[in-house]
Amino acid sequence: MTVSQLAKGIKAGKRRPLAKGITLVESSHPSDQEQAAQLLTHLAEDRDTIRIGVSGVPGVGKSTFIEAFGNHLIAEGHRVAVLAVDPSSPTTGGSILGDKTRMETLSSREEAFIRPSPTSGTLGGVAKRTRETMLLCEAGGYDVILVETVGVGQSEFEVSSMVDCFMMLMLPGAGDGLQGIKRGIMEITDVMVINKADGDQEKLALQAKSEYEHAFHFLQTRLPDIPVRFHAVSALKNKGITEVWSSILQFIDALKQQGFFNEQRMSQNLSWFKRLAEDALIEELWRGEHNREMAEQLKKGIINNEILPSVAAKKMVSIIKKADSN
């Protein structure tokens, strides 16, 4: 299938070309990357979409929440793409990629597309090509994109640089508001959801919601003029999901009214450019045989305690700069 045929299939809303396109952009092979760039150029255009990041500690019920949330969005007439990111093993490099099996009803819906991807060593809670995958899904007619992060807690800043709204899921009874608040990830939160507000935990969830609302007065939020929204929900009982979607729509509307929406998208594109340029430079650095040989010599020096790592790094950069100037 040619790049042009792939682009045509994606624009027609066909799932198989979309899956093939995502596999192409996720490939690290140079020829695949060249075709991926051509594909993205074919599909590049502004679309009326909403991008939502969903984060939270392991066990908070992200997959259960996304399934209930996604089904609600479909009932509202939307087409939903879920980009579920799983952590890769630091030893084997493999991933379980089990999120699709945990969203049984949503994955069977024609209006939903679920794509699990490994982090492949990428930090920030997202996969290496999440941005490109998002664009392909939007080109395929999915107007709400949900990015489910790996759920590592305080290090998921990368996802906030690619979505319009960042949603943080919390557990009831996980500590009082001030104890649970951590600067960093909380300061980029736009909507906070206390999940599992059912049964014996409902009272705890409502209490946690109140405590977080109070605690956020002590934080400088991402957008001071647009307040953070708080909800206690039960994804299992499908309770409170409508209110969460309503809050997100209000948040997006506020972004647009104050001129932040397009500004934020442009900032994200610049961030994307910077990351791609850095990745390309690093790949180019290790591609040259001379650089690899020089690195091996410096590594031996570090192992033999003949040179400090910091000095070795500066020396390598200095030699590369000198070679470039010549």
Side-chain angles (χ1 to χ4, degrees):
M1 189 179 287
T2 66
V3 170
S4 180
Q5 290 172 328
L6 206 55
K8 188 176 179 181
I10 291 171
K11 284 183 176 180
K14 296 179 180 178
R15 300 166 75 90
R16 188 167 182 179
L18 176 57
K20 281 180 173 287
I22 294 172
T23 299
L24 189 66
V25 300
E26 287 182 340
S27 172
S28 58
H29 195 279
S31 64
D32 287 343
Q33 281 300 299
E34 187 176 335
Q35 285 187 311
Q38 293 173 16
L39 178 62
L40 289 166
T41 301
H42 273 289
L43 300 173
E45 61 179 84
D46 290 332
R47 294 179 175 87
D48 187 14
T49 61
I50 296 177
R51 304 166 181 172
I52 305 168
V54 184
S55 185
V57 295
V60 75
K62 291 191 297 296
S63 296
T64 305
F65 174 83
I66 288 173
E67 178 163 57
F69 189 56
N71 281 319
H72 173 75
L73 293 175
I74 290 171
E76 292 279 311
H78 297 281
R79 298 185 75 219
V80 182
V82 180
L83 310 183
V85 184
D86 269 3
S88 297
S89 166
T91 52
T92 66
S95 275
I96 297 173
L97 303 178
D99 291 272
K100 197 166 183 177
T101 62
R102 293 196 293 268
M103 302 178 195
E104 191 174 349
T105 61
L106 187 61
S107 63
S108 66
R109 301 292 296 268
E110 186 64 31
E111 305 90 341
F113 179 83
I114 301 176
R115 176 73 179 207
S117 299
T119 56
S120 302
T122 303
L123 299 179
V126 292
K128 189 173 184 180
R129 298 296 177 187
T130 299
R131 285 181 174 86
E132 289 90 335
T133 302
M134 222 167 21
L135 293 180
L136 293 184
C137 289
E138 291 175 343
Y142 296 95
D143 61 321
V144 180
I145 314 296
L146 304 177
V147 182
E148 179 193 359
T149 68
V150 296
V152 294
Q154 298 301 316
S155 65
E156 313 217 332
F157 300 99
E158 184 70 18
V159 71
S160 70
S161 70
M162 63 179 73
V163 297
D164 306 312
C165 177
F166 182 74
M167 188 190 312
M168 186 70 180
L169 268 61
M170 302 294 287
L171 286 165
D176 62 65
L178 289 174
Q179 185 68 25
I181 286 285
K182 300 289 183 183
R183 290 191 182 276
I185 197 166
M186 292 299 180
E187 291 176 333
I188 59 172
T189 297
D190 301 312
V191 176
M192 177 174 281
V193 173
I194 316 300
N195 195 23
K196 303 189 177 183
D198 45 58
D200 295 337
Q201 297 203 95
E202 184 172 4
K203 186 177 179 181
L204 286 174
L206 292 171
Q207 183 180 341
K209 173 179 173 287
S210 176
E211 287 170 348
Y212 278 119
E213 284 177 326
H214 175 72
F216 260 72
H217 291 303
F218 298 95
L219 287 179
Q220 181 177 342
T221 53
R222 186 171 71 89
L223 299 165
D225 296 329
I226 304 177
V228 176
R229 274 80 168 167
F230 300 87
H231 295 277
V233 311
S234 170
L236 194 63
K237 303 285 187 183
N238 206 27
K239 180 181 175 183
I241 302 297
T242 302
E243 289 76 12
V244 172
W245 177 235
S246 178
S247 274
I248 290 172
L249 290 177
Q250 290 170 19
F251 175 79
I252 296 296
D253 187 52
L255 282 181
K256 291 179 176 179
Q257 284 185 8
Q258 298 192 33
F260 292 146
F261 187 86
N262 290 333
E263 182 183 310
Q264 186 170 263
R265 287 272 178 110
M266 184 58 65
S267 176
Q268 290 168 0
N269 283 338
L270 294 176
S271 174
W272 184 17
F273 158 71
K274 183 174 181 289
R275 171 56 64 89
L276 290 176
E278 289 171 352
D279 288 347
L281 285 171
I282 291 171
E283 286 178 14
E284 191 63 32
L285 173 67
W286 299 116
R287 189 172 289 147
E289 186 177 344
H290 174 69
N291 289 349
R292 289 200 303 271
E293 290 175 355
M294 178 173 54
E296 286 303 317
Q297 291 176 7
L298 291 170
K299 285 178 184 177
K300 288 177 183 177
I302 293 169
I303 292 169
N304 296 328
N305 291 321
E306 296 170 354
I307 188 170
L308 289 170
S310 57
V311 176
K314 287 182 179 179
K315 185 174 182 180
M316 185 166 181
V317 171
S318 176
I319 293 171
I320 291 171
K321 280 184 176 179
K322 190 175 181 181
D324 287 342
S325 62
N326 294 333

